[in-house]
Structures are given as C-alpha cells and as structure tokens.
Amino acid sequence: MATIAIDPRVSGTTAEFISQRHKMYIDGRFVAAASGKNFPVFNPATGDVITEVPEAEEEDVNRAVLAARRAFDEGPWPRMSPSERGRMIWKLADLLEQHLEEFAEIESLDNGKPRTIARVADVPLAVDMFRYMAGWATKISGKTLPLSSGYDFHSYTMREPIGVVAQIIPWNFPLLMAAWKLAPAMACGCTIVLKLAEQTPLSGIRLAQLIDEAGFPPGVVNVLTGFGEGAGAPLAAHDLVDKVAFTGSTEVGKLIVKAAAGNLKKVSLELGGKSPAIVFPDAPIEQAVSGTASAIFFNHGQCCCAGSRLYVHEKVFDKVVEGVSKVAADIKLAPGLDPSCQMGPLVSDEQYRKVVGYIESGINEGAKIAAGGPVSGFDRGYFVRPTVLTNTNPRMKVVQEEIFGPVVCAVPFSDQEIDRIVKRANDTVYGLAASVWTQNLSLAHKVARGLRAGTVWVNCHNVFDASLPFGGYKQSGWGREMGEEVLHNYTEVKAVTVAL
Ligand code: ADP
C-alpha cells in the first residue's frame, strides 16, 4: 500500500479512527472482504492516500443480503414495537450528535469540503433526519375505507415494511446521504444493505460503529465499501432484495432500473439536475447575488440541485453577474481542514478533470469567463476556482449537461421573454429543483406553478429540512426522499377486507 499521510490538523480521535484497519459491517460483525482485497482512500486536498478500506464483491454482497433477509424474515426488528424502533433510531441520533466534531473532520478529510460547513450542515442535518424519522416510526398507519359494494364488509389498509432494501449512495454528502437513506427505512421496519461511495467511505464506516453501539439487532443494517460495478451492480440485481434506493448520476440510475428488472424489485431514484435560478428585475439585488452565488457554489457545486443556470432579467443582468463574479473571486480556496477554507477541493481527480473539461468546452464553444476559469493555481489537490460563464447559448454542453462543480452559466432575458422564461428554465431533461427571485407575490407563485421540478425555492435556494420531500420530475428521478413522502419508498400497502 502507498504511504499513508493523515493531515496533521485532524484531532487525535479522528486520526485514531482513520488509522484503524477498516472493516465492513455485515450481520452485526465487522469483517474484511471475503477476497481480502482493499482499495485506497485519497485526501482530495493533496492526492495522498489516507487509508484503505475493504473492496466488497459479489460474495460479500451475498453475505450482506442473506443477513438482511434473515433479519427481516426471522429477526426481531420488523416485529418490534414501533416505539422501541423509534427509540433506537433516536439513540443513534444522540450518538451521532455526541461525535459531531469527529464526523465533521472525517467528512472534510475524505470529501474535501470545509470542516466548518460539515459541522453546521452535513452532521446536524443527518442527526435531524434520524430524529425526524424516529418520530415517524410510531405514526405509520393505514386507513379504514367505506366500500360501495355493500355494507357487509369492513375494509382497511396497512402499511407494511417493504422488506430487504439495497441502498446505494454518492460521495457529495457521504454521511447525510446515508442518513437520508437509512433513517426512513429503519423507521418503516425494513432491513438494509447500504453501499457507500468508493470515493468517500469513511463516515459511513464510523456510522456503522455507532449503529452497532446503539444496539440494532444483527443484520438490520449492513454496510459495504466497494465499487459500483463490483458491489453496486450485484446488489441492485440481487433476487433476495425487495427494493433498491439509489442516489447518483442519471446514467447509473438507468443501469439500476435495468438491474432491478430481474425480480422486479421496487426502485426509487434521486438523480441529476441542471437547476435554474431565475432573477426578476424587482428582486433585492444583494439578496439575489448572495443567494444565487451560494446556490451554485455551496458544496463546490457538487449538489444535484445546484443552481447551475442563472437566468437574469437584462435590466439587472450586469449587476447580478458582477456581484456573483465578485463573490466567486473572493472565495478562499484551501484544504477543507484549514480554518480559513471557504471552498475545498473537488472530491477526486476524475471529478476535477470532468469539471475542468466542461469549463474548457464552454470556452471552446464561445462562452466568456466572468470569474474563475480552468486554471486553479494549485500545484496539487483537486481545486477548481468558482467559475461564472456568460455568452452561452441553450445548445452548449455547459448549459444542457450536469457539471457537478462550481460552474454557473449566466443568461439574460428581456421583458418580452418573461412569459417564456419558464419554458426555457424547463428546457433540460432534468427536473429536480429551481429558485425564483422576486418580490412580486403572484409572479413567484405563477412561476413556481409552471416549473417542472420537485422543489421550488422562492428568494432562497438549497434550503433542506427532514420534513420537506425532495426528488425529481423527468430524468431527475423516481419517488421522493424525506418528509412523509419517503415512507412510500419503504412500505407496501395491504388492503384487508373482512366479510361481516
Ligand atoms: P458519480 O458519477 O457522481 O460518482 P455515480 O452515479 O457513478 O455517481 O455513483 C453513485 C453511486 O453508484 C456510487 O456508490 C457508485 O459506486 C454506485 N454505482 C456506480 N455504478 C454502478 C452500477 N453499475 N450499479 C450499481 N451501483 C453503481
């Protein structure tokens, strides 16, 4: 294995965790891969190897699925009282909260994001998600239904756990994505095999240790580290899995659908986006500038709902573009653990190359750079400067495709186009999120109604809450995460009719 270099800024607790021989969590035990293989984990701020983790393959997937199957078919978890289940999920939330600083460090080191952000966003939102879903455990219920076919029947529905759930998550919010997936499935009484993203496995491994400490019965949660093809694909295709929940690219989402066809397991997908932010001329300029800048630059643009297309009315276009460009130019790039860091490196070399490639393709197709550009000025690490492109047209790749980096295309619109702007905003294959910036109440609601997106923010962007359903129209996905809606992902409805 290559030399291991742990950042000297991490605390002793985190350094100790990172230096452990990492294991996966299967059937209540911490285990190596059946093959004994491991793969390296990199620090995106330097490109150095920080540790290695087991490489799950088909045999490990089988072991994990069989454990989850047994735990569902014979174990106590789905039969436990809902309040007992809720208390255990709450306990996990408490444990996570007690280790907030450690998780913020792990997340920053592994993913590259600023520790300051992980501390106030990723970890607390994950804690909230477990608490919110702990509350739902006792409130999942059916209805009684009056039948028109006669009075001699009593009919009711029940919501039952869907069974063994495979969950596959990405690297942009490693802990939070795990929480979005695990918490509702736990609340519904499902058993779970979670596959972490290969780029960012560390917070999920640490979370598995807390799941064990919280006392979840063996097999209820199994956590695998491995690659998409080696571990994700056999998991999505497995015949003993009842449902697969996936977050990632639209391209892989389509592969998941195909893999699920074998046993027609249920599928939910949270996929890509190319979200518009639309600024009308009456919007308070300062708020619109800082809001639309953070819409794209939050988490280095590595958000499926990043506001990557900025439509601005021509009356305020120059002011807004200048403002957003100034925000971009002033953002301090540094390793995530550096206290002065406002934006860290992208997650991986692959992602770095992809994003720089998009900026270059925009330039080659005639776009102008108002801020940032393809050169970062760093001699190591996967840093990309926050970039603002103007002079784009709707057919350019940078306008149509998801970049998943800190790159925004600013596009002006005129008075004559106000009615058509919703159509332009809807003109991609995606439909995840959008934001509207105006003081005009009826215009805001009218535009919100016209947008084909699962989330519309007015005078804000990237506002998340465990209670708000999140997911996409069109090729941005199937089903919703969070809120009451997510319970549909993890339950089956049974109609019972009794002849009286
Ligand atoms: P990104 O391109 O942003 O890395 P992906 O959609 O490739 O996003 O990956 C998201 C998750 O899907 C990761 O956990 C990855 O390992 C997994 N994955 C990738 N390919 C497959 C596949 N063919 N089947 C199942 N899971 C996959």
Side-chain angles (χ1 to χ4, degrees):
M1 191 174 125
T3 341
I4 287 181
I6 299 182
D7 193 301
R9 282 166 290 217
V10 301
S11 65
T13 322
T14 302
E16 194 191 318
F17 165 70
I18 305 281
S19 342
Q20 285 173 10
R21 180 165 291 275
H22 295 293
K23 302 272 176 68
M24 300 187 287
Y25 186 55
I26 299 180
D27 208 10
R29 284 182 304 145
F30 290 92
V31 296
S35 66
K37 283 201 251 173
N38 289 302
F39 65 92
V41 180
F42 298 94
N43 176 353
T46 59
D48 292 336
V49 174
I50 44 177
T51 187
E52 55 177 32
V53 298
E55 183 177 341
E57 290 174 322
E58 196 159 356
E59 193 177 338
D60 308 286
V61 169
N62 273 334
R63 275 158 67 201
V65 170
L66 285 173
R69 187 80 259 167
R70 244 187 340 267
F72 187 78
D73 294 341
E74 298 155 30
W77 183 248
R79 289 150 203 95
M80 205 178 257
S81 79
S83 96
E84 239 182 305
R85 265 206 310 269
R87 262 178 288 152
M88 206 172 286
I89 300 170
W90 195 281
K91 187 170 171 191
L92 176 60
D94 286 345
L95 286 170
L96 187 56
E97 195 168 48
Q98 284 159 24
H99 293 86
L100 187 145
E101 288 297 333
E102 186 190 346
F103 273 91
E105 278 190 346
I106 295 172
E107 214 64 330
S108 172
L109 186 62
D110 200 7
N111 164 282
K113 66 179 69 196
R115 176 193 351 212
T116 46
I117 298 291
R119 189 186 271 153
V120 297
D122 300 60
V123 189
L125 285 172
V127 171
D128 256 13
M129 187 66 193
F130 283 112
R131 295 227 170 99
Y132 176 83
M133 283 298 160
W136 267 115
T138 47
K139 293 160 201 75
I140 298 167
S141 58
K143 294 177 179 170
T144 54
L145 300 157
L147 300 198
S148 299
S149 41
Y151 288 113
D152 296 340
F153 298 101
H154 170 53
S155 288
Y156 59 93
T157 57
M158 307 163 71
R159 279 204 168 268
E160 299 184 326
I162 206 163
V164 173
V165 178
Q167 302 185 321
I168 300 174
I169 59 170
W171 45 259
N172 57 343
F173 293 89
L175 175 70
L176 186 59
M177 290 302 101
W180 280 21
K181 288 278 181 284
L182 292 172
M186 287 169 166
C188 291
C190 298
T191 61
I192 300 155
V193 180
L194 172 71
K195 193 202 79 69
L196 307 170
E198 57 270 36
Q199 299 85 349
T200 53
L202 298 179
S203 57
I205 295 178
R206 184 71 185 100
L207 183 66
Q209 296 175 348
L210 299 188
I211 288 169
D212 194 65
E213 190 179 334
F216 285 80
V220 170
V221 180
N222 305 273
V223 178
L224 300 178
T225 49
F227 292 92
E229 276 184 26
L235 182 57
H238 207 292
D239 277 346
L240 296 180
V241 168
D242 298 300
K243 193 238 149 74
V244 54
F246 171 79
T247 297
S249 59
T250 293
E251 189 190 349
V252 174
K254 291 178 184 177
L255 296 177
I256 300 283
V257 170
K258 285 188 191 144
N263 69 341
L264 285 179
K265 60 175 68 64
K266 309 295 187 281
V267 180
S268 55
L269 305 168
E270 205 259 275
L271 307 175
K274 190 75 189 175
S275 301
I278 310 171
V279 181
F280 288 98
D282 68 311
I285 293 298
E286 265 180 42
Q287 190 188 346
V289 164
S290 67
T292 56
S294 99
I296 179 64
F297 300 137
F298 175 64
N299 211 42
H300 322 165
Q302 299 170 134
C303 296
C304 42
C305 52
S308 51
R309 292 180 293 144
L310 177 59
Y311 294 102
V312 188
H313 190 275
E314 59 187 10
K315 273 194 201 140
V316 291
F317 183 79
D318 290 344
K319 264 195 195 155
V320 171
V321 171
E322 261 167 45
V324 173
S325 302
K326 177 157 177 11
V327 172
D330 289 347
I331 287 175
K332 166 100 168 85
L333 263 71
L337 289 166
D338 187 321
S340 69
C341 169
Q342 292 176 322
M343 185 183 278
L346 302 190
V347 72
S348 65
D349 187 41
E350 185 188 351
Q351 194 60 19
Y352 166 82
R353 286 171 199 278
K354 184 178 147 197
V355 173
V356 169
Y358 269 115
I359 299 175
E360 283 167 350
S361 97
I363 298 169
N364 294 339
E365 288 186 285
K368 298 254 177 310
I369 301 238
V375 180
S376 77
F378 284 72
D379 56 7
R380 61 191 208 140
Y382 314 131
F383 293 91
V384 173
R385 301 214 75 83
T387 296
V388 180
L389 299 177
T390 57
N391 203 35
T392 58
N393 70 57
R395 284 162 307 284
M396 286 182 183
K397 263 169 52 157
V398 281
V399 178
Q400 282 298 324
E401 296 179 16
E402 182 177 46
I403 298 176
F404 223 67
V407 183
V408 64
C409 298
V411 181
F413 64 91
S414 62
D415 271 338
Q416 292 73 41
E417 288 174 300
I418 287 191
D419 284 340
R420 295 211 332 258
I421 193 65
V422 170
K423 216 169 156 202
R424 280 175 81 183
N426 285 336
D427 183 25
T428 73
V429 297
Y430 298 113
L432 192 58
S435 60
V436 186
W437 302 79
T438 177
Q439 296 290 87
N440 180 331
L441 199 59
S442 64
L443 179 64
H445 287 294
K446 195 173 154 195
V447 173
R449 191 179 282 188
L451 288 164
R452 305 255 309 140
T455 291
V456 177
W457 288 294
V458 178
N459 297 326
C460 57
H461 200 111
N462 284 335
V463 175
F464 293 99
D465 192 273
S467 64
L468 287 170
F470 182 78
Y473 284 37
K474 301 192 277 181
Q475 293 192 33
S476 288
W478 291 353
R480 294 292 179 269
E481 309 261 18
M482 302 199 284
E484 184 176 355
E485 295 294 322
V486 73
L487 304 173
H488 296 266
N489 283 353
Y490 297 111
T491 49
E492 289 274 22
V493 178
K494 181 179 281 175
V496 180
T497 295
V498 184
L500 297 177

Coordinates of all heavy atoms in Angstrom, one line a residue, residues 428-487:
T428 N -34.6 21.2 -20.1 CA -33.5 20.2 -20.0 C -34.2 18.9 -19.7 O -35.4 18.9 -19.4 CB -32.5 20.5 -18.8 OG1 -33.1 20.2 -17.6 CG2 -32.0 21.9 -18.8
V429 N -33.4 17.8 -19.7 CA -34.0 16.5 -19.4 C -34.3 16.4 -17.9 O -34.9 15.5 -17.4 CB -33.2 15.4 -19.9 CG1 -33.0 15.4 -21.4 CG2 -31.8 15.3 -19.2
Y430 N -33.8 17.3 -17.1 CA -33.9 17.2 -15.6 C -35.1 18.0 -15.1 O -35.6 18.9 -15.7 CB -32.6 17.8 -15.0 CG -31.3 17.0 -15.4 CD1 -30.3 17.6 -16.2 CD2 -31.2 15.7 -15.0 CE1 -29.2 16.9 -16.5 CE2 -30.0 15.0 -15.3 CZ -29.0 15.6 -16.1 OH -27.9 14.9 -16.4
G431 N -35.4 17.7 -13.8 CA -36.4 18.5 -13.2 C -36.4 18.3 -11.7 O -37.3 17.9 -11.0
L432 N -35.2 18.7 -11.1 CA -35.0 18.4 -9.7 C -35.4 19.7 -8.8 O -36.2 19.5 -7.9 CB -33.5 18.1 -9.4 CG -33.3 17.5 -8.0 CD1 -34.1 16.3 -7.7 CD2 -31.8 17.2 -7.9
A433 N -34.8 20.8 -9.1 CA -35.1 22.0 -8.3 C -35.0 23.3 -9.1 O -34.5 23.2 -10.3 CB -34.1 22.0 -7.1
A434 N -35.5 24.4 -8.5 CA -35.4 25.7 -9.2 C -35.5 26.7 -8.1 O -36.1 26.5 -7.1 CB -36.5 25.8 -10.2
S435 N -35.0 27.9 -8.4 CA -35.3 29.0 -7.5 C -35.8 30.3 -8.3 O -35.4 30.4 -9.4 CB -34.1 29.4 -6.6 OG -33.0 29.8 -7.3
V436 N -36.6 31.1 -7.6 CA -37.2 32.2 -8.3 C -36.9 33.4 -7.3 O -37.1 33.3 -6.1 CB -38.7 32.1 -8.4 CG1 -39.3 33.2 -9.1 CG2 -39.1 30.8 -9.0
W437 N -36.4 34.5 -7.9 CA -36.1 35.7 -7.1 C -36.9 36.9 -7.5 O -36.7 37.4 -8.6 CB -34.5 35.9 -7.2 CG -33.7 34.7 -6.8 CD1 -33.5 33.6 -7.6 CD2 -33.1 34.5 -5.5 NE1 -32.8 32.6 -6.8 CE2 -32.5 33.2 -5.6 CE3 -33.0 35.2 -4.4 CZ2 -31.8 32.6 -4.5 CZ3 -32.3 34.7 -3.3 CH2 -31.7 33.4 -3.4
T438 N -37.9 37.2 -6.7 CA -38.7 38.4 -7.0 C -39.5 38.8 -5.7 O -39.6 38.0 -4.8 CB -39.7 38.1 -8.1 OG1 -40.6 39.2 -8.3 CG2 -40.6 36.9 -7.8
Q439 N -39.9 40.0 -5.7 CA -40.8 40.5 -4.6 C -42.3 40.4 -5.0 O -43.1 40.6 -4.2 CB -40.5 42.0 -4.3 CG -39.1 42.2 -3.7 CD -38.9 41.7 -2.3 OE1 -38.6 40.5 -2.2 NE2 -39.2 42.5 -1.3
N440 N -42.5 40.1 -6.2 CA -43.9 40.1 -6.8 C -44.5 38.7 -6.4 O -44.2 37.7 -7.0 CB -43.8 40.3 -8.3 CG -45.1 40.3 -9.0 OD1 -46.1 39.6 -8.5 ND2 -45.3 41.0 -10.0
L441 N -45.4 38.7 -5.5 CA -46.0 37.5 -5.0 C -46.7 36.7 -6.0 O -46.5 35.4 -6.1 CB -47.0 37.9 -3.9 CG -47.4 36.9 -2.9 CD1 -46.2 36.4 -2.1 CD2 -48.5 37.5 -1.9
S442 N -47.5 37.3 -6.9 CA -48.3 36.5 -7.8 C -47.3 35.9 -8.9 O -47.4 34.8 -9.3 CB -49.4 37.2 -8.4 OG -49.0 38.3 -9.2
L443 N -46.3 36.7 -9.3 CA -45.3 36.2 -10.2 C -44.6 35.0 -9.7 O -44.4 34.0 -10.3 CB -44.3 37.3 -10.6 CG -43.2 37.0 -11.6 CD1 -43.8 36.6 -13.0 CD2 -42.2 38.1 -11.7
A444 N -44.2 35.1 -8.4 CA -43.4 34.0 -7.8 C -44.3 32.7 -7.8 O -43.8 31.7 -8.2 CB -43.1 34.4 -6.3
H445 N -45.6 32.8 -7.4 CA -46.4 31.6 -7.4 C -46.7 31.1 -8.8 O -46.8 29.9 -9.0 CB -47.7 31.9 -6.7 CG -47.5 32.0 -5.2 ND1 -47.2 31.0 -4.4 CD2 -47.7 33.1 -4.4 CE1 -47.1 31.4 -3.1 NE2 -47.4 32.7 -3.1
K446 N -46.8 32.1 -9.7 CA -47.1 31.7 -11.1 C -45.9 30.9 -11.7 O -46.1 29.8 -12.3 CB -47.4 32.9 -12.0 CG -48.0 32.6 -13.3 CD -48.4 34.0 -14.0 CE -48.4 33.7 -15.5 NZ -48.4 35.0 -16.2
V447 N -44.7 31.4 -11.5 CA -43.5 30.7 -12.0 C -43.4 29.4 -11.3 O -43.1 28.4 -11.9 CB -42.3 31.6 -11.8 CG1 -41.0 30.9 -12.2 CG2 -42.4 32.9 -12.7
A448 N -43.6 29.4 -9.9 CA -43.4 28.1 -9.2 C -44.4 27.1 -9.8 O -44.0 25.9 -9.9 CB -43.8 28.4 -7.7
R449 N -45.6 27.5 -10.1 CA -46.5 26.5 -10.7 C -46.1 26.0 -12.0 O -46.3 24.8 -12.4 CB -47.9 27.2 -10.8 CG -49.0 26.3 -11.2 CD -50.3 27.1 -11.3 NE -50.9 27.4 -9.9 CZ -52.1 27.9 -9.8 NH1 -52.8 28.2 -10.8 NH2 -52.5 28.2 -8.6
G450 N -45.4 26.8 -12.8 CA -45.0 26.4 -14.2 C -43.8 25.6 -14.2 O -43.5 24.9 -15.2
L451 N -42.9 25.7 -13.2 CA -41.7 24.9 -13.2 C -41.9 23.4 -13.0 O -42.6 23.0 -12.1 CB -40.7 25.5 -12.1 CG -40.2 26.9 -12.4 CD1 -39.6 27.5 -11.2 CD2 -39.1 26.8 -13.5
R452 N -41.3 22.6 -13.9 CA -41.4 21.2 -13.8 C -40.2 20.7 -12.9 O -39.2 20.2 -13.5 CB -41.4 20.6 -15.2 CG -42.4 21.1 -16.1 CD -43.6 20.2 -16.4 NE -43.2 18.9 -16.8 CZ -43.7 17.8 -16.4 NH1 -44.8 17.8 -15.5 NH2 -43.3 16.6 -16.8
A453 N -40.3 20.9 -11.6 CA -39.3 20.5 -10.7 C -39.9 20.0 -9.4 O -40.9 20.6 -9.0 CB -38.3 21.7 -10.5
G454 N -39.2 19.1 -8.7 CA -39.7 18.6 -7.5 C -39.6 19.6 -6.3 O -40.3 19.4 -5.3
T455 N -38.7 20.6 -6.4 CA -38.5 21.6 -5.4 C -38.5 23.0 -6.1 O -37.7 23.1 -7.0 CB -37.2 21.4 -4.6 OG1 -37.3 20.2 -3.8 CG2 -36.9 22.5 -3.7
V456 N -39.2 23.9 -5.5 CA -39.1 25.3 -6.0 C -38.8 26.2 -4.8 O -39.6 26.1 -3.8 CB -40.3 25.8 -6.7 CG1 -40.2 27.3 -7.1 CG2 -40.6 25.0 -8.0
W457 N -37.8 26.9 -4.8 CA -37.5 27.8 -3.7 C -37.7 29.3 -4.2 O -37.4 29.6 -5.3 CB -36.0 27.7 -3.3 CG -35.6 26.5 -2.6 CD1 -36.0 26.1 -1.4 CD2 -34.7 25.5 -3.0 NE1 -35.4 24.9 -1.0 CE2 -34.6 24.5 -2.0 CE3 -33.9 25.2 -4.2 CZ2 -33.8 23.4 -2.1 CZ3 -33.1 24.1 -4.3 CH2 -33.1 23.2 -3.3
V458 N -38.3 30.1 -3.3 CA -38.6 31.5 -3.7 C -37.7 32.3 -2.8 O -37.8 32.2 -1.5 CB -40.1 31.9 -3.5 CG1 -40.3 33.3 -3.9 CG2 -40.9 31.0 -4.5
N459 N -36.9 33.2 -3.4 CA -35.9 34.0 -2.7 C -35.0 33.2 -1.7 O -34.6 33.7 -0.7 CB -36.6 35.2 -1.9 CG -37.4 36.1 -2.9 OD1 -36.9 36.3 -4.0 ND2 -38.5 36.6 -2.5
C460 N -34.7 32.0 -2.1 CA -33.8 31.2 -1.3 C -33.4 30.0 -2.2 O -34.0 29.9 -3.3 CB -34.3 30.7 0.0 SG -35.9 29.8 -0.1
H461 N -32.4 29.2 -1.9 CA -32.0 28.1 -2.6 C -31.3 27.1 -1.7 O -30.7 27.6 -0.7 CB -31.0 28.5 -3.8 CG -30.9 27.5 -4.9 ND1 -31.4 27.8 -6.2 CD2 -30.4 26.3 -5.0 CE1 -31.2 26.7 -7.0 NE2 -30.6 25.8 -6.3
N462 N -31.3 25.9 -1.9 CA -30.7 24.9 -1.1 C -31.2 24.9 0.4 O -30.4 24.7 1.3 CB -29.1 25.1 -1.0 CG -28.5 24.7 -2.3 OD1 -29.0 23.8 -3.0 ND2 -27.3 25.2 -2.6
V463 N -32.4 25.1 0.6 CA -33.0 25.0 1.9 C -33.5 23.6 2.1 O -34.4 23.2 1.3 CB -34.1 26.1 2.2 CG1 -34.8 25.8 3.5 CG2 -33.6 27.5 2.0
F464 N -33.0 22.9 3.0 CA -33.4 21.5 3.2 C -33.9 21.3 4.6 O -33.5 21.9 5.6 CB -32.2 20.5 3.1 CG -31.7 20.5 1.7 CD1 -30.6 21.3 1.3 CD2 -32.3 19.8 0.7 CE1 -30.1 21.3 0.0 CE2 -31.9 19.8 -0.6 CZ -30.8 20.5 -0.9
D465 N -34.9 20.4 4.7 CA -35.4 20.0 6.1 C -35.9 18.6 6.0 O -36.4 18.2 5.0 CB -36.5 21.0 6.5 CG -36.8 20.8 7.9 OD1 -37.7 20.0 8.3 OD2 -36.3 21.6 8.8
A466 N -35.7 17.9 7.1 CA -36.2 16.5 7.1 C -37.6 16.4 6.8 O -38.1 15.3 6.3 CB -35.9 15.9 8.5
S467 N -38.4 17.4 7.0 CA -39.9 17.4 6.7 C -40.2 17.6 5.3 O -41.4 17.4 4.9 CB -40.6 18.4 7.6 OG -40.2 19.7 7.2
L468 N -39.3 18.2 4.5 CA -39.6 18.6 3.1 C -39.3 17.4 2.1 O -38.1 17.0 2.0 CB -38.8 19.8 2.7 CG -39.2 21.1 3.3 CD1 -38.1 22.2 3.0 CD2 -40.5 21.6 2.8
P469 N -40.3 17.0 1.3 CA -40.0 15.9 0.4 C -39.0 16.5 -0.7 O -39.1 17.7 -1.1 CB -41.3 15.6 -0.3 CG -42.2 16.8 0.0 CD -41.7 17.4 1.3
F470 N -38.1 15.6 -1.2 CA -37.1 16.1 -2.1 C -36.9 15.0 -3.2 O -36.7 13.8 -2.9 CB -35.8 16.3 -1.4 CG -34.7 16.8 -2.3 CD1 -34.6 18.1 -2.7 CD2 -33.7 16.0 -2.8 CE1 -33.6 18.6 -3.5 CE2 -32.7 16.4 -3.6 CZ -32.7 17.7 -4.0
G471 N -37.0 15.4 -4.5 CA -36.8 14.4 -5.5 C -37.2 15.1 -6.9 O -37.5 16.3 -6.9
G472 N -37.1 14.3 -7.9 CA -37.2 14.9 -9.2 C -38.4 14.6 -10.1 O -38.9 13.5 -10.1
Y473 N -38.7 15.5 -11.0 CA -39.5 15.3 -12.2 C -38.6 14.7 -13.3 O -37.4 14.8 -13.1 CB -40.1 16.6 -12.7 CG -41.3 17.2 -11.9 CD1 -41.4 17.1 -10.6 CD2 -42.3 17.8 -12.6 CE1 -42.4 17.7 -9.9 CE2 -43.4 18.4 -11.9 CZ -43.4 18.3 -10.6 OH -44.5 18.9 -9.9
K474 N -39.2 14.3 -14.3 CA -38.4 13.9 -15.6 C -37.2 13.0 -15.2 O -37.4 12.1 -14.3 CB -38.0 15.1 -16.4 CG -39.2 16.0 -16.8 CD -38.8 17.0 -17.8 CE -38.3 18.3 -17.1 NZ -37.9 19.3 -18.1
Q475 N -36.1 13.2 -15.8 CA -34.9 12.3 -15.6 C -34.2 12.6 -14.3 O -33.0 12.1 -14.1 CB -34.0 12.3 -16.8 CG -34.7 11.7 -18.0 CD -33.8 11.4 -19.2 OE1 -32.6 11.1 -19.0 NE2 -34.3 11.6 -20.4
S476 N -34.8 13.4 -13.4 CA -34.1 13.6 -12.1 C -34.5 12.5 -11.1 O -34.0 12.6 -10.0 CB -34.4 15.0 -11.6 OG -33.7 16.0 -12.3
G477 N -35.4 11.7 -11.5 CA -35.6 10.5 -10.5 C -37.1 10.0 -10.4 O -38.0 10.5 -11.1
W478 N -37.2 9.0 -9.5 CA -38.5 8.4 -9.2 C -38.6 8.5 -7.7 O -37.7 8.0 -7.0 CB -38.5 6.9 -9.6 CG -38.5 6.7 -11.1 CD1 -38.6 7.6 -12.1 CD2 -38.3 5.4 -11.7 NE1 -38.6 6.9 -13.3 CE2 -38.4 5.6 -13.1 CE3 -38.1 4.1 -11.2 CZ2 -38.3 4.5 -14.0 CZ3 -38.0 3.0 -12.1 CH2 -38.1 3.2 -13.5
G479 N -39.8 8.9 -7.2 CA -40.0 8.9 -5.8 C -39.4 10.1 -5.1 O -38.8 11.0 -5.7
R480 N -39.6 10.2 -3.8 CA -39.1 11.3 -3.0 C -38.4 10.9 -1.8 O -38.7 9.8 -1.2 CB -40.3 12.2 -2.5 CG -41.1 12.9 -3.6 CD -40.2 14.0 -4.3 NE -40.9 14.7 -5.4 CZ -40.8 14.3 -6.7 NH1 -40.1 13.2 -7.0 NH2 -41.4 15.0 -7.6
E481 N -37.4 11.6 -1.4 CA -36.6 11.4 -0.1 C -37.3 12.3 0.9 O -37.8 13.4 0.5 CB -35.2 11.8 -0.3 CG -34.5 11.3 -1.4 CD -33.6 10.0 -1.1 OE1 -33.8 9.4 0.0 OE2 -32.8 9.7 -1.9
M482 N -37.1 12.0 2.1 CA -37.5 12.9 3.3 C -39.0 13.1 3.3 O -39.8 12.7 2.5 CB -36.8 14.2 3.2 CG -35.3 14.0 3.3 SD -34.4 15.5 3.7 CE -34.6 16.5 2.3
G483 N -39.4 13.8 4.4 CA -40.8 14.1 4.7 C -41.6 12.8 4.8 O -41.1 11.7 4.8
E484 N -42.9 13.0 4.9 CA -43.8 11.9 5.0 C -43.8 11.0 3.7 O -43.9 9.8 3.7 CB -45.3 12.4 5.2 CG -46.3 11.3 5.4 CD -47.6 11.8 5.8 OE1 -47.8 13.0 5.9 OE2 -48.6 11.0 5.9
E485 N -43.5 11.8 2.6 CA -43.5 11.1 1.2 C -42.5 9.9 1.2 O -42.8 8.9 0.5 CB -43.0 12.1 0.2 CG -43.9 13.2 -0.1 CD -45.2 12.8 -0.7 OE1 -45.3 11.9 -1.5 OE2 -46.2 13.4 -0.2
V486 N -41.4 10.0 1.9 CA -40.4 8.9 1.7 C -40.9 7.6 2.3 O -40.4 6.5 1.9 CB -39.0 9.3 2.4 CG1 -39.1 9.3 3.9 CG2 -37.9 8.4 1.9
L487 N -41.9 7.7 3.2 CA -42.4 6.4 3.7 C -43.0 5.5 2.7 O -43.0 4.3 2.8 CB -43.4 6.7 4.8 CG -42.9 7.6 6.0 CD1 -44.1 8.0 6.9 CD2 -41.8 7.0 6.7

